[in-house]
Amino acid sequence: TPSVRRLADLPAFVMPAGTNRVALAFDPARDGVPYVAGVEVFAPGHATPRHTHARGHELFFAVSGAGTGECDGVTFALGPGDVAIFPPGTRHGIDVAADAAEPLVCVEVMSPDDAFADAVRAGEFKGGLTPSELCQLAAVGCGGGGGEAEAEP
């Protein structure tokens, strides 16, 4: 049978010592899958410490905002509609300019998990995605038809 998650119900965590949040949709510990999938939000000013994954392919599908990716010294712009994948063993990261008007919001998948979900859950639990992130991802809570989007927490 299929597994279905609602964006509004995803648990979100601030990565340890980070300015990025990950809302877990599918997680090996909870769901018995060999990958992790969710939504990653990179705040303005975020700079990912460059790192590698031994086995995991890490994919980012940018939904809103803008950032810069780097993989083995090659930099590239990342914005809405862009998809980037970092192969295992590559040194990589994603940054967002400090003066960015909004966070970079991406759908993120790591396959196989390569202990990424454990690292996410080691962060601080922050509830879920914000109303504006839900609106950007799926037009949920965007107002219209008689109401405005909910205020940010």
Side-chain angles (χ1 to χ4, degrees):
T1 61
S3 295
V4 177
R5 302 286 185 269
R6 292 179 42 83
L7 286 173
D9 297 335
L10 302 182
F13 300 84
V14 173
M15 295 292 288
T19 53
N20 56 321
R21 280 182 301 115
V22 178
L24 292 172
F26 294 95
D27 164 349
R30 181 187 64 204
D31 303 307
V33 295
Y35 57 86
V36 64
V39 175
E40 190 156 358
V41 180
F42 301 91
H46 173 82
T48 302
R50 298 312 187 245
H51 62 285
T52 63
H53 303 288
R55 299 177 314 120
H57 298 260
E58 191 168 24
L59 178 140
F60 293 91
F61 173 74
V63 176
S64 65
T68 302
E70 181 183 340
C71 185
D72 282 346
V74 176
T75 60
F76 55 92
L78 192 59
D82 293 335
V83 181
I85 191 164
F86 300 118
T90 59
R91 186 170 167 77
H92 63 274
I94 294 177
D95 303 332
V96 176
D99 62 352
E102 63 181 330
L104 173 64
V105 178
C106 296
V107 173
E108 189 270 345
V109 177
M110 173 89 74
S111 181
D113 169 47
D114 213 2
F116 182 65
D118 291 339
V120 170
R121 280 187 264 96
E124 181 182 355
F125 177 68
K126 284 295 187 179
L129 296 166
T130 67
S132 68
E133 291 160 356
L134 291 169
C135 179
Q136 291 165 339
L137 286 159
V140 174
C142 296
E148 292 298 316
E150 297 176 37
E152 295 289 325

